[in-house]
Amino acid sequence: MSLENEHRLRFRDAMASLGAAVNIVTTDGTEGRCGITATAVCSVTDTPPTLMVCVNRNSAMNAVFQKNGRLCVNVLNHDQEELACHFAGMKGSTMDERFGWDVWDKGILEQPLLRNALANLEGEITQVQDIGTHSVYMVEMKQIVVSDDGHGLVYFKRKFHPVIHKILEPTS
């Protein structure tokens, strides 16, 4: 194995140790409707509210996201792991089947919002930069919906894990 390949694999192993929230990123528009499961999502700034979303450039959906110019980051609840598997392509379901389930609403930008998600962040792609194998999107939020119900879902060591939110009672 070449040193470059070994370095790439070690980097992937290191990133598997970096737990990340699980999201389904969706888009709908003139180029069609699609969605992917993604952990490469993070906040950039709150003024204006902006997220960074990374999508593999080899994915057929990358062009759809870019041409539609809008998307929604749906932050998954712990009980939405099965849906994450479908949108990651692990279950063999078609895109029409994934969006055919009665779990979707439309946001103010007409993007698919997942019901019962911890949060839905709908916005417009303001910048795209290609870095290595991925396109990095800067997305300015136009609608933000946050739920107080539910627990988190993270991806850690190449597996899904629930993150249980417990409210601690004050001690006397």
Side-chain angles (χ1 to χ4, degrees), residues 2 4 6 11 18 32 39 43 48 53 57-58 87-89 91 99 106 112-113 123 144 149 159-160 164 166 168:
S2 73
E4 184 177 312
E6 183 178 331
F11 180 77
L18 181 65
T39 57
S43 64
V53 178
R57 287 185 6 206
N58 290 328
F87 276 85
K91 300 289 185 174
F99 283 106
K106 289 272 188 178
L113 275 63
I144 301 168
D149 297 329
K159 293 182 182 172
F160 294 105
I164 305 304
K166 291 185 181 181
L168 300 177

Side-chain angles (χ1 to χ4, degrees), residues 2 13 15 29 53-54 58 64 94 148 166 172:
S2 73
D13 287 343
M15 291 301 97
V53 178
C54 302
N58 290 328
V64 178
T94 66
D148 291 329
K166 291 185 181 181
S172 326

Side-chain angles (χ1 to χ4, degrees), residues 1-159:
M1 179 183 314
S2 73
L3 184 58
E4 184 177 312
N5 264 353
E6 183 178 331
H7 194 64
R8 184 177 59 82
L9 292 175
R10 288 181 61 83
F11 180 77
R12 285 181 166 201
D13 287 343
M15 291 301 97
S17 297
L18 181 65
V22 180
N23 310 280
I24 293 178
V25 182
T26 57
T27 188
D28 197 356
T30 58
E31 292 300 309
R33 180 177 56 189
C34 71
I36 59 170
T37 298
T39 57
V41 173
C42 73
S43 64
V44 176
T45 181
D46 65 356
T47 310
T50 303
L51 289 178
M52 179 182 72
V53 178
C54 302
V55 177
N56 191 307
R57 287 185 6 206
N58 290 328
S59 167
M61 290 170 270
N62 187 38
V64 178
F65 281 106
Q66 286 191 39
K67 290 176 182 175
N68 283 346
R70 297 174 170 178
L71 59 78
C72 183
V73 174
N74 299 281
V75 182
L76 298 192
N77 214 325
H78 73 288
D79 61 0
Q80 294 172 320
E81 178 180 334
E82 185 76 13
L83 202 56
C85 291
H86 282 282
F87 276 85
M90 299 164 70
K91 300 289 185 174
S93 57
T94 66
M95 202 59 69
D96 284 341
E97 288 170 336
R98 297 171 199 177
F99 283 106
W101 298 314
D102 186 26
V103 295
W104 298 103
D105 292 321
K106 289 272 188 178
I108 62 170
L109 298 178
E110 296 296 311
Q111 300 308 293
L113 275 63
L114 178 62
R115 265 185 248 128
N116 300 317
L118 292 178
N120 310 99
L121 299 112
E122 185 182 20
E124 295 179 343
I125 300 170
T126 58
Q127 294 179 42
V128 180
Q129 183 174 357
D130 290 338
I131 301 175
T133 59
H134 282 67
S135 292
V136 179
Y137 303 150
M138 293 298 152
V139 185
E140 188 174 321
M141 298 301 109
K142 301 300 180 187
Q143 174 174 288
I144 301 168
V145 178
V146 179
S147 172
D148 291 329
D149 297 329
H151 304 287
L153 182 65
V154 298
Y155 198 68
F156 176 72
K157 294 289 187 180
R158 296 181 175 93
K159 293 182 182 172

